[in-house]
Amino acid sequence: LTPKDHWLRYRLLFDSEKDEKDKFDGGVWQLKRPVNSIEEQSNKELDQGKSTVYEELEGDKSIVTAMNIVQQGSGTELLGRERLMPYNTLKELPDKYGLALFAKFKTKRSSWIRNVAGETPVNVVLDWTDFGYMVGEVEIVVNDVSRIEYAKGDIATIIAQITDNNDNGSKHHEYIQSKLAVYMMQHQPEQYKMFVKLGII
């Protein structure tokens, strides 16, 4: 999955505002994969801090999509939802499909929502990890690929406001690594080097 820039994860959710016994809000399978626009971007553009564009799938659809990618790579039969459901647990999926867990960490997130021109909701998040890394992100969820370029402009506007940058975000600060990339550098350096060589980090 990862050499194709597809990232399958099982996210456990906790609510720090709840009582200790009620903090756990369950978990969900998620798959992040690039859309065509990001595949067409050059590494140079990414290094300059350009926006990255991913599609996010959740729940059954994420598992079916990810496992069928694995099946395609092995040349075996593609699977439908019914065949996968017996393995819809964190413990059983790796054993069934030979998946290896290579990253596990905790993140504390603070989130804010801002609007651009009173229309587009923009998520501004700040994450603290349990391995000592902190990073901020500006995100917009779109339901139509035709809105991606508009979303990039809205993100640039918000970043300019947050950083007090008067050129509307046209000048980018140094490239900031993602949480996963930093984790890989610290805990899986050889695999990190492979990802860099493949151009996916």
Side-chain angles (χ1 to χ4, degrees):
L1 290 176
T2 50
K4 297 180 181 295
D5 201 9
H6 285 55
W7 307 89
L8 181 66
R9 65 188 178 191
Y10 189 76
R11 172 172 279 180
L12 295 173
L13 306 176
F14 295 84
D15 189 338
S16 60
E17 299 300 321
K18 292 184 177 181
D19 294 335
E20 189 67 31
K21 61 183 178 64
D22 297 322
K23 280 186 177 181
F24 179 58
D25 282 345
V28 61
W29 284 99
Q30 297 176 329
L31 178 69
K32 288 182 65 175
R33 62 180 182 179
V35 297
N36 289 336
S37 59
I38 189 61
E39 291 175 339
E40 294 168 356
Q41 289 178 336
S42 68
N43 291 333
K44 181 179 180 181
E45 287 179 324
L46 293 176
D47 288 341
Q48 291 173 342
K50 298 285 186 177
S51 300
T52 54
V53 184
Y54 281 92
E55 179 184 20
E56 291 193 1
L57 307 178
E58 286 195 353
D60 297 346
K61 187 175 182 180
S62 68
I63 299 172
V64 171
T65 301
M67 296 306 101
N68 278 327
I69 292 172
V70 174
Q71 294 294 90
Q72 286 176 326
S74 62
T76 53
E77 175 189 3
L78 300 187
L79 305 176
R81 179 179 181 276
E82 296 76 13
R83 292 275 301 279
L84 287 170
M85 288 311 294
Y87 308 103
N88 187 4
T89 69
L90 180 62
K91 181 178 180 181
E92 295 172 318
L93 266 174
D95 293 338
K96 176 65 179 178
Y97 292 99
L99 301 179
L101 178 68
F102 62 86
K104 183 178 181 179
F105 55 85
K106 295 179 181 179
T107 300
K108 181 178 180 181
R109 168 167 289 189
S110 295
S111 302
W112 299 266
I113 295 178
R114 297 188 67 167
N115 290 329
V116 176
E119 298 179 2
T120 306
V122 181
N123 299 316
V124 181
V125 302
L126 188 61
D127 289 341
W128 294 265
T129 70
D130 61 352
F131 55 91
Y133 187 60
M134 180 174 66
V135 66
E137 298 177 352
V138 180
E139 304 173 329
I140 295 179
V141 177
V142 297
N143 297 317
D144 189 326
V145 293
S146 66
R147 298 294 304 172
I148 289 176
E149 291 304 317
Y150 294 101
K152 288 182 180 180
D154 291 340
I155 288 174
T157 297
I158 290 295
I159 291 176
Q161 293 173 356
I162 293 173
T163 60
D164 196 26
N165 188 348
N166 294 325
D167 58 12
N168 199 35
S170 62
K171 293 181 180 178
H172 298 283
H173 300 286
E174 63 178 302
Y175 178 63
I176 303 300
Q177 292 275 27
S178 68
K179 298 185 294 291
L180 179 59
V182 174
Y183 178 92
M184 296 296 291
M185 281 192 290
Q186 294 182 5
H187 301 278
Q188 302 279 4
E190 293 305 315
Q191 194 165 358
Y192 173 79
K193 291 177 183 177
M194 180 189 72
F195 290 163
V196 171
K197 186 176 181 179
L198 291 172
I200 58 176
I201 286 185

